[in-house]
Amino acid sequence: MSKESRHPFLQGLSKHRGVQPTIITIFGASGDLCARKLVPAIYNLAVDNLLPADFYLIGYGRKPIPDEEFREVASDAISKFSRRSLNKEIWERIEKNTFYCSGGYDEAEAFQKLSDKIASIEKDAGREMQSVCYISTPPSVFEPIIKNLGEAGLATKYQSSDKHTKVVIEKPFGKDLESARNLNRVIQGVFQERQVYRIDHYLGKETVQDLLVQRFANSIFEPLWNRNYVDNVQITVGESLGVGTRGGYYEQSGATRDMIQNHTMQLLALTAMEAPASLDAESIRDEKVKLLKAIKPLRLGYSDSDVVRAQYGEGLIAGEKVPGYRQEEGVSPKSETETYAALRLTINNWRWQGVPFYLRSGKRMARRVTEIAIQFKRPPSSLFSENEMFNLANNALVFQIQPDEGSTILLNGKIPGLQTRTQPVKMHFRYSTTFGSNTPEAYERLVLDAMIGDGTLFIRGDETEASWNLITPLHDFWKSEGQRGIETYAAGSWGPNASDRMLWQNNHEWRRP
């Protein structure tokens, strides 16, 4: 019986860039991310005929469970979290190639059993396959997993061929510069950089990928993308939710570690970087690193500081009263952890000299939104600034990354009528309106790219270190200051007044998305 007839739902292999036979092992298979994102992503790739004919899924976790139970858990996850309903025929054909291995993350014997299982799958299939190891665990076990993959011979499997092992590593990648450097050293002792895929799911979002297209495929934008025309750039990552039951975790993280060092800095790099020489992964990542290294160190202190930190207090969310951060479960009443942070960055290069970049991220903000706003300078003419009939705003190009992916251009237009009166108007583009609402989720793109070996949307080791090099001095300063300088803001607001004052120093103000 041919391989195609054994896998009729994937006849003809993948229609996307030739995905080779693959075995994916998910470490942390009983975790929330696996259920909510990874298994549904794999299922939707199968629906779209984007998996190879020989595809196998192995879950790995501490709890010993039979293969059948893991298959049921995976099926339930698809039914609950997939953007498409469960097609039993497609799932049954994936299900029979789904297995589970149990063991500790620091147990060499368990990793040898995993290696034996992979070898057994290859023997039964009659061919060699690439191995993709997806580390979806707490960061405390990243290091033992990586070392044990090396000890079991899984890291160097088929190293000289295109079937070499790939390792995908979830965030957070370190908690400061030194820990990031140490983790990179551990990885480099086992894997080559071309095998490593540090994941940031924001890079898989359609609007984030669209940034490069808008910048470099449209001649109306790129000539304006510099200090001559741009007044300021604002990147907002707001969440309306609080910490919920994750107070204990968040106490060790905070807004800068949880959102700014990774997601927000990646958005900044793609927004401000120079044009890459090509669309290959290394060219794009080279430019991102150059941009991150061009950011000036933050001015810290309490006079003309580049940083504001705050915690949310009591307030109203959707008309309901919610507690302040220090009243949340697992949070110390003397907590020094920021739930909101705003940064003013200066990029020391020719393109952006003198243009401030404002970054902010917080919990319990007015609404859930992630956006990048390019604010342009006002026209030099005073033709339409003589009286109150002319309501003018700075032109802006805004990329909405969530919840409604798309972009908006803010212009000034004439109000219909016999008098010449103006007001700001908006031109909207929404992915759901133009292309339909059932677009692939970020993890579908990222899992697929990892399988085919495309690192464009993943983070290189020197990128993580460049980002931590900016953020770590900030954390060290806050640690030395204790609770001093922590502002408060009402839940349901857009942040503390101190954040507004930081922008007023440059005659700017935050957008209200």
Side-chain angles (χ1 to χ4, degrees):
M1 183 180 292
S2 70
K3 299 238 178 359
E4 281 72 17
S5 61
R6 286 193 284 116
H7 302 275
F9 73 111
L10 294 176
Q11 287 184 5
L13 296 178
S14 165
K15 61 183 180 183
H16 182 86
R17 296 175 285 178
V19 185
Q20 60 183 303
T22 300
I23 301 170
I24 287 186
T25 303
I26 299 177
F27 295 92
S30 61
D32 193 57
L33 180 65
C34 181
R36 287 179 174 272
K37 298 296 182 182
L38 301 184
V39 169
I42 290 169
Y43 168 75
N44 279 294
L45 291 175
V47 173
D48 289 330
N49 193 23
L50 294 174
L51 293 180
D54 279 312
F55 176 83
Y56 295 80
L57 171 62
I58 301 175
Y60 185 104
R62 290 192 179 98
K63 181 182 177 182
I65 61 174
D67 291 343
E68 279 303 319
E69 184 176 336
F70 179 61
R71 291 165 181 167
E72 290 177 8
V73 169
S75 175
D76 290 344
I78 294 168
S79 297
K80 189 173 182 180
F81 300 115
S82 172
R83 65 185 174 90
R84 294 179 173 125
S85 59
L86 179 66
N87 181 308
K88 290 187 177 180
E89 181 181 0
I90 292 177
W91 170 241
E92 285 172 0
R93 293 163 182 163
I94 304 172
E95 184 181 43
K96 67 180 180 181
N97 292 337
T98 298
F99 307 97
Y100 187 86
C101 289
S102 63
Y105 298 118
D106 57 353
E107 294 178 11
E109 298 84 358
F111 279 76
Q112 188 56 55
K113 290 180 181 178
L114 173 63
S115 180
D116 294 342
K117 179 63 178 179
I118 291 173
S120 173
I121 290 173
E122 290 181 319
K123 182 178 179 181
D124 291 343
R127 66 192 309 173
E128 297 175 346
M129 302 186 199
Q130 74 164 340
S131 177
V132 176
C133 301
Y134 198 117
I135 303 178
S136 173
T137 65
S140 59
V141 295
F142 285 179
E143 185 172 331
I145 291 174
I146 291 164
K147 288 183 176 178
N148 276 317
L149 287 173
E151 291 293 326
L154 290 170
T156 56
K157 181 178 166 67
Y158 313 127
Q159 185 101 338
S160 61
S161 74
D162 61 354
K163 296 181 178 63
H164 60 260
T165 298
K166 301 179 177 74
V167 59
V168 182
I169 305 174
E170 273 287 344
K171 80 172 188 76
F173 196 87
K175 62 179 182 178
D176 53 25
L177 179 58
E178 183 53 40
S179 60
R181 283 174 173 167
N182 181 66
L183 186 52
N184 275 334
R185 283 192 291 266
V186 170
I187 292 171
Q188 291 162 5
V190 178
F191 293 95
Q192 298 178 21
E193 182 63 35
R194 69 188 178 100
Q195 298 176 267
V196 184
Y197 297 78
R198 298 168 189 82
I199 198 167
D200 184 331
H201 72 272
Y202 265 52
L203 297 182
K205 293 181 177 293
E206 289 291 349
T207 311
V208 176
Q209 298 172 52
D210 191 43
L211 258 174
L212 296 184
V213 177
Q214 294 299 322
R215 282 192 62 185
F216 303 120
N218 295 292
S219 60
I220 63 173
F221 293 140
E222 182 57 20
L224 309 180
W225 216 269
N226 56 60
R227 69 187 188 282
N228 295 323
Y229 298 98
V230 175
D231 185 57
N232 68 87
V233 178
Q234 299 183 18
I235 301 178
T236 298
V237 182
E239 299 177 278
S240 59
L241 296 176
V243 296
T245 60
R246 299 171 67 242
Y249 160 78
Y250 202 81
E251 278 285 86
Q252 307 301 315
S253 174
T256 47
R257 284 191 174 98
D258 190 45
M259 298 298 290
I260 289 181
Q261 182 275 329
N262 39 68
H263 301 324
T264 315
M265 294 298 289
Q266 285 296 311
L267 299 182
L268 167 69
L270 289 171
T271 301
M273 73 181 196
E274 295 297 321
S278 70
L279 288 177
D280 74 84
E282 293 312 305
S283 292
I284 292 174
R285 298 198 289 189
D286 284 346
E287 295 303 330
K288 287 200 292 178
V289 171
K290 288 178 188 177
L291 187 283
L292 293 173
K293 288 183 176 180
I295 300 173
K296 286 185 176 181
L298 293 164
R299 290 176 294 184
L300 305 175
Y302 301 100
S303 176
D304 197 26
S305 174
D306 286 329
V307 182
V308 171
R309 63 168 169 162
Q311 293 176 344
Y312 63 81
E314 293 182 349
L316 296 176
I317 298 289
E320 295 187 8
K321 187 176 180 180
V322 296
Y325 176 66
R326 293 186 182 181
Q327 287 75 54
E328 299 277 20
E329 178 185 348
V331 175
S332 167
K334 297 182 179 180
S335 173
E336 301 171 3
T337 301
E338 79 286 357
T339 64
Y340 174 98
L343 280 62
R344 176 176 54 199
L345 303 182
T346 301
I347 298 174
N348 191 24
N349 65 15
W350 182 267
R351 180 185 292 268
W352 298 116
Q353 191 69 42
V355 178
F357 281 71
Y358 302 113
L359 280 57
R360 62 174 169 173
S361 179
K363 289 191 172 294
R364 287 294 190 211
M365 295 181 72
R367 60 180 292 239
R368 174 178 175 259
V369 61
T370 299
E371 69 166 36
I372 303 166
I374 316 299
Q375 305 260 48
F376 293 96
K377 294 180 178 179
R378 286 182 178 271
S381 172
S382 59
L383 186 61
F384 290 102
S385 60
E386 294 177 356
N387 60 55
E388 60 185 17
M389 291 192 303
F390 304 131
N391 176 16
L392 301 175
N394 287 51
N395 298 140
L397 172 61
V398 183
F399 296 93
Q400 289 95 11
I401 295 166
Q402 63 181 19
D404 300 315
E405 292 191 89
S407 56
T408 298
I409 297 178
L410 180 65
L411 304 169
N412 294 302
K414 180 184 177 295
I415 300 173
L418 300 179
Q419 289 182 305
T420 302
R421 301 170 59 220
T422 66
Q423 75 173 36
V425 295
K426 297 177 180 179
M427 298 174 61
H428 294 292
F429 156 69
R430 291 290 179 269
Y431 269 88
S432 58
T433 303
T434 303
F435 300 111
S437 59
N438 201 22
T439 55
E441 292 194 354
Y443 276 95
E444 294 172 39
R445 171 68 185 267
L446 295 172
V447 169
L448 181 62
D449 281 1
M451 286 194 293
I452 65 174
D454 185 347
T456 304
L457 301 179
F458 297 86
I459 303 170
R460 209 166 58 190
D462 54 348
E463 277 186 73
T464 64
E465 294 184 20
S467 180
W468 278 120
N469 191 52
L470 178 73
I471 298 298
T472 296
L474 171 61
H475 287 152
D476 292 342
F477 173 75
W478 282 345
K479 185 176 181 180
S480 69
E481 294 296 296
Q483 294 184 15
R484 186 185 178 200
I486 299 179
E487 305 284 339
T488 59
Y489 61 102
S493 71
W494 282 109
N497 291 334
S499 179
D500 293 317
R501 290 195 296 269
M502 183 173 70
L503 270 67
W504 293 342
Q505 292 171 1
N506 294 339
N507 294 318
H508 295 145
E509 60 182 29
W510 286 111
R511 279 175 42 83
R512 297 294 186 260

